[in-house]
Amino acid sequence: QVQLVESGGGLVQAGGSLRLSCAASGSFFSINAMGWYRQAPGKQRELVAAITSGGSTNYADSVKGRFTVSRDNAKNTVYLQMNSLKPEDTAVYYCNAAISLAYGYRYREFWGQGTLVTVSS
């Protein structure tokens, strides 16, 4: 059974920094793209940042220049370094990964349980 376990959320003042981590565990063949989504109260879930297995990245316009996504393929882990945080960054952040469970199997999306990030003004 594949699990994505997130850590690193919490409460921070505006202008501060947090680093989120998400590790994939269980039995699987390979991981393609990994990334982070967020969902604020009353809003739809949105993509924050994503990174392919080769290291190509994609960011939401609202976080460009402030957030950095990275991954450690050996540890099956993706990170989100968040700097210059703003109150509007407050949300539950979800880890996402496209994982193939065995050779020749198609990639499926898996989600973490979410971690709350609260930015106070």
Side-chain angles (χ1 to χ4, degrees):
Q1 185 176 354
V2 175
Q3 283 190 314
L4 298 179
V5 180
E6 299 137 337
S7 60
L11 173 64
V12 64
Q13 287 189 332
S17 298
L18 281 176
R19 188 191 195 210
L20 305 183
S21 300
C22 171
S25 64
S27 178
F28 52 87
F29 176 67
S30 70
I31 304 176
N32 195 352
M34 302 184 81
W36 295 92
Y37 287 70
R38 67 186 180 187
Q39 187 166 19
K43 295 189 176 182
Q44 289 189 330
R45 190 174 297 190
E46 62 175 359
L47 174 68
V48 176
I51 183 168
T52 67
S53 56
S56 296
T57 57
N58 182 38
Y59 295 93
D61 287 343
S62 59
V63 306
K64 283 181 181 177
R66 300 188 298 122
F67 290 11
T68 301
V69 63
S70 61
R71 65 190 283 174
D72 184 333
N73 291 331
K75 296 181 179 180
N76 298 316
T77 299
V78 62
Y79 306 95
L80 185 67
Q81 178 66 44
M82 304 184 292
N83 298 329
S84 302
L85 282 161
K86 305 175 181 180
E88 51 263 44
D89 294 317
T90 295
V92 177
Y93 284 70
Y94 295 92
C95 174
N96 172 275
I99 297 176
S100 173
L101 299 182
Y103 178 78
Y105 280 42
R106 65 181 179 86
Y107 286 93
R108 290 171 46 196
E109 276 195 306
F110 289 83
W111 293 88
Q113 78 284 358
T115 185
L116 178 62
V117 172
T118 303
V119 184
S120 62
S121 57

